[in-house]
Amino acid sequence: MVDLKLLFHNFMKYGAIFGALISVTALGLFFFINPDDFGLGQILFIYLLFSTLPWFVGLYYITKVYRDKELGGYITMPEILQFSLFVGFFGGAIYVFGNLLFLQLVGSDFQIRFFNTLSLKVVSFLEFAKSKQSEIDAVILQFNTIKEQVAK
């Protein structure tokens, strides 16, 4: 019989570690990356690297630590799936809360600066690709809509 109290405790403990891990890597975008220094493809690659890689590597490592420390080195596939989903959910909630708190208190201009730089790079790419002006105007309108929603 599975001890639900212990299982919930492990979800919370490892979820908090996972949430802290992905929050710290997301802060790397703010402190170490100036979007003005990179091209469009580089910005998108760096953003994906900092936003997705910690999820996969972190979940793998935390599941491995859970298997070794809590389960004596053996874990079944359904347990892996259950543990990963709950830890990912709880860690993601911590990440969202931490990100919102950080952006409200410290880095409120980061998202606006990021969207401004990204929109300029996308427009210059579309102009280089000889896109129609109506398509470029539609992309600019979409970026402005996103910036207005982020600025609220």
Side-chain angles (χ1 to χ4, degrees), residues 49-84:
L49 182 70
F50 274 91
S51 62
T52 59
L53 190 62
W55 280 85
F56 294 116
V57 172
L59 269 179
Y60 170 78
Y61 181 73
I62 285 181
T63 303
K64 184 179 180 301
V65 169
Y66 172 71
R67 179 198 69 192
D68 294 341
K69 286 190 175 184
E70 307 293 337
L71 300 177
Y74 178 77
I75 191 169
T76 63
M77 199 60 158
E79 288 173 326
I80 292 171
L81 182 61
Q82 179 186 27
F83 181 77
S84 296

Side-chain angles (χ1 to χ4, degrees), residues 10-152:
N10 285 327
F11 289 153
M12 298 287 283
K13 179 173 88 174
Y14 289 108
I17 293 169
F18 180 63
L21 170 76
I22 59 178
S23 295
V24 166
T25 56
L27 289 177
L29 281 174
F30 179 77
F31 288 113
F32 300 114
I33 295 174
N34 183 3
D36 296 328
D37 296 340
F38 299 99
L40 177 63
Q42 293 166 328
I43 289 175
L44 295 176
F45 174 75
I46 290 170
Y47 182 74
L48 288 173
L49 182 70
F50 274 91
S51 62
T52 59
L53 190 62
W55 280 85
F56 294 116
V57 172
L59 269 179
Y60 170 78
Y61 181 73
I62 285 181
T63 303
K64 184 179 180 301
V65 169
Y66 172 71
R67 179 198 69 192
D68 294 341
K69 286 190 175 184
E70 307 293 337
L71 300 177
Y74 178 77
I75 191 169
T76 63
M77 199 60 158
E79 288 173 326
I80 292 171
L81 182 61
Q82 179 186 27
F83 181 77
S84 296
L85 286 174
F86 280 110
V87 166
F89 178 75
F90 188 69
I94 290 174
Y95 166 74
V96 167
F97 177 74
N99 195 9
L100 289 174
L101 187 66
F102 173 76
L103 290 174
Q104 292 297 320
L105 298 178
V106 179
S108 58
D109 69 325
F110 173 73
Q111 285 183 322
I112 300 297
R113 187 170 50 96
F114 182 79
F115 280 120
N116 283 338
T117 303
L118 189 61
S119 64
L120 289 174
K121 300 221 184 253
V122 168
V123 167
S124 66
F125 175 77
L126 290 173
E127 288 171 349
F128 176 75
K130 297 186 180 10
S131 296
K132 296 178 185 174
Q133 188 61 40
S134 60
E135 293 172 351
I136 295 172
D137 292 339
V139 168
I140 291 171
L141 181 65
Q142 289 173 348
F143 271 110
N144 288 336
T145 304
I146 292 170
K147 283 190 283 189
E148 289 172 6
Q149 291 174 353
V150 167
K152 289 183 182 181

